[in-house]
Amino acid sequence: AVETTMFFTFFFGIFASVVGFILVPQMLKFMKTPEDVMEQAIIYLRIYFSGMSGLMVYNMGSGVLRAVGDTKRPLYFLTCVVTAVLVLLFLIVLDLGVAGVAIATIIAQFISAVLVLRLLIKANDIYYFSFKDLRCEWSILKDVFLIGLPSGIQSVLTAFSNVFVQAYINFFGSAAIAGWSCYNKLHTFIMLPMQSMSHAAATFVGQNVGAKKIDRVNRGTIETLLITMSITAFIATILYIFAEPATRLFIKDTDVIEFSALLISTNIFFLILNSVNHPLAGALRGRGDSTAPMIIMLSTFVGVRQLYLYVLTTYFVNEPQLVGFSYPVGWTVCFVVEVTYLYFRWLRKKQ
C-alpha cells in the first residue's frame, strides 16, 4: 500500500505541476484577477506549482506515518520556521519580491518531503519501502481511491459552494465583505480542532477495525466526539465573550467590527453541532464507509445551504445576519442526518 501510494504521488505530482504551470494564466483570468497584479500572480503561482511534488510527498508520507500511530514526527518535519527564515532572506536580503516568497515556500516543502521519505525508507518493517521496489498495485490503488476520493470531492465542492455564499454577502457592500472576511478567519481557527480530531478518528477507527476490536471503535468514536465538542464549546465561549476585541485584531473599522461580531454571536454556538459532524465523518471513513459522509455533507453543506439562501432571499428577506445563518442551517441538518445514519447503519447493528 505504501509503495503504491508513493508511486502514484510521484507521478501525479509531476502531472499536477505541469498542468498547473500551463494553466495558471487561464485560472487567474477565470477568477477575474485585476490586471495590476496579474503578472506577479502568474510568477508566484508558476513557481509554486513547480514545487507541488514536495507538498504532495510530505502529505502522503505523513498520512502513512499517522496511520501506524506516528503522529509526532510529521509535526516535527513541518518546516514553518524554515519557511519564515527563507522568506525573510529572499525578500529583505536578496530582494526577490513575490518570486522569493514562492521559492522559499517550495524549498521548505521539499525539505519536509525529504525528511518524511528518509524516515519511511529507514524505518521499521511496518512502513518500510525502497525506491527499487516502488510499483503500483492497481487493486490497492483502487481501494485507496474508494476511501480517499469521496472526501476529496466533498472538500472541493464545499469550497466551490462557499464562493456562492460570498456572492450573497457581496450584495451588502464593502463593510459586510470585510466583516465576513474577519468572521471567517475566526471561524477557521475554531474549525482546526474539529479537522484534527477528524483525522485522529479516521486513524484510530481504521486501526481498530483492522484489529477487529469493534468495542474500541465505538467507544473511541464517542470519546472523540465528546472531546471535540468540549474543545469547541470552550473556544466558542471565549470568542462569544470577546467577539469585538477578536475582530479588532484584523481591522479597526467600526461598521466592520459590528458586522463580524454580529455573525459571531449568531453562529458561534452552532459550531458545537458541527464539531460532531467532522469527527463522525472521520470515524465513518475509518470504517471504510467514505461515500455516506460525502453524500450527507454535500447534501447539507451545499444543497441545504444553497436552497436556504435562495428561498430566503427570493421569497422572504435579504438580511446579512440571516444570510450568514446559512452555515448553522447546514451544520444542524448535517448533525441530525449523520447521527441518525451512524445509529441505524453501525451502532444499532453492533457491527
Side-chain angles (χ1 to χ4, degrees):
V2 175
E3 291 167 355
T4 296
T5 302
M6 298 310 296
F7 180 91
F8 174 79
T9 301
F10 289 137
F11 283 93
F12 185 75
I14 295 171
F15 172 78
S17 293
V18 172
V19 172
F21 186 91
I22 295 172
L23 295 182
V24 160
Q26 288 75 17
M27 289 190 289
L28 289 172
K29 289 177 182 177
F30 176 77
M31 295 170 63
K32 298 181 180 179
T33 304
E35 288 297 328
D36 58 339
V37 299
M38 178 68 78
E39 182 180 354
Q40 294 296 307
I42 290 174
I43 292 172
Y44 177 87
L45 284 174
R46 279 187 161 164
I47 295 173
Y48 186 85
F49 272 113
S50 299
M52 181 170 285
S53 296
L55 177 63
M56 294 182 66
V57 169
Y58 168 77
N59 285 336
M60 291 295 186
S62 297
V64 173
L65 294 172
R66 293 189 179 101
V68 295
D70 188 350
T71 61
K72 293 182 179 179
R73 282 185 285 190
L75 171 63
Y76 300 155
F77 294 159
L78 276 175
T79 50
C80 300
V81 175
V82 175
T83 304
V85 172
L86 289 175
V87 166
L88 293 175
L89 172 65
F90 290 137
L91 277 179
I92 298 175
V93 179
L94 301 179
D95 193 24
L96 295 179
V98 70
V101 177
I103 294 170
T105 302
I106 66 172
I107 289 175
Q109 288 174 354
F110 273 107
I111 292 174
S112 296
V114 169
L115 291 172
V116 167
L117 280 177
R118 182 178 180 277
L119 183 59
L120 288 173
I121 293 171
K122 298 291 184 181
N124 59 47
D125 291 338
I126 296 176
Y127 41 90
Y128 172 85
F129 88 100
S130 64
F131 285 103
K132 66 178 181 180
D133 295 327
L134 209 59
R135 65 188 186 279
C136 183
E137 293 280 353
W138 294 108
S139 60
I140 292 178
L141 186 63
K142 177 183 176 182
D143 290 339
V144 171
F145 268 95
L146 287 174
I147 295 172
L149 195 58
S151 177
I153 293 172
Q154 171 203 315
S155 298
V156 170
L157 292 180
T158 301
F160 189 70
S161 170
N162 292 338
V163 173
F164 292 96
V165 179
Q166 181 69 54
Y168 283 97
I169 292 293
N170 291 350
F171 175 81
F172 300 106
S174 57
I177 294 171
W180 180 257
S181 177
C182 293
Y183 163 75
N184 271 324
K185 288 182 173 64
L186 297 170
H187 171 264
T188 300
F189 174 75
I190 200 173
M191 286 291 295
L192 290 174
M194 303 180 203
Q195 294 166 352
S196 299
M197 294 304 288
S198 176
H199 295 313
T203 300
F204 180 86
V205 169
Q207 289 174 335
N208 283 280
V209 166
K212 301 188 185 304
K213 297 180 179 180
I214 303 304
D215 288 340
R216 282 174 57 82
V217 169
N218 295 337
R219 190 168 70 251
T221 299
I222 293 172
E223 290 182 5
T224 300
L225 296 179
L226 292 175
I227 292 171
T228 312
M229 291 174 70
S230 300
I231 294 172
T232 304
F234 174 76
I235 300 176
T237 301
I238 297 298
L239 285 178
Y240 181 82
I241 295 172
F242 299 103
E244 291 194 4
T247 304
R248 287 195 187 96
L249 294 173
F250 306 104
I251 202 163
K252 303 300 181 184
D253 187 283
T254 303
D255 292 338
V256 174
I257 293 172
E258 289 179 357
F259 183 75
S260 178
L262 178 65
L263 290 172
I264 291 172
S265 62
T266 303
N267 295 357
I268 198 72
F269 287 109
F270 284 93
L271 277 164
I272 298 174
L273 297 180
N274 201 33
S275 70
V276 173
N277 297 332
H278 291 277
L280 190 52
L284 290 170
R285 294 187 188 105
R287 291 177 180 265
D289 186 357
S290 296
T291 303
M294 178 194 72
I295 294 173
I296 293 171
M297 286 187 159
L298 285 180
S299 300
T300 55
F301 290 175
V302 178
V304 171
R305 188 174 293 161
Q306 295 301 323
L307 179 63
Y308 165 85
L309 286 170
Y310 175 77
V311 172
L312 174 74
T313 58
T314 303
Y315 299 105
F316 293 96
V317 62
N318 192 12
E319 293 289 340
Q321 185 178 12
L322 293 177
V323 169
F325 194 69
S326 64
Y327 278 79
V329 169
W331 300 333
T332 303
V333 178
C334 181
F335 170 83
V336 173
V337 175
E338 202 170 30
V339 170
T340 303
Y341 174 81
L342 176 73
Y343 175 74
F344 285 102
R345 175 66 179 86
W346 294 105
L347 298 184
R348 189 181 183 189
K349 295 180 180 180
K350 297 182 179 180
Q351 294 184 9

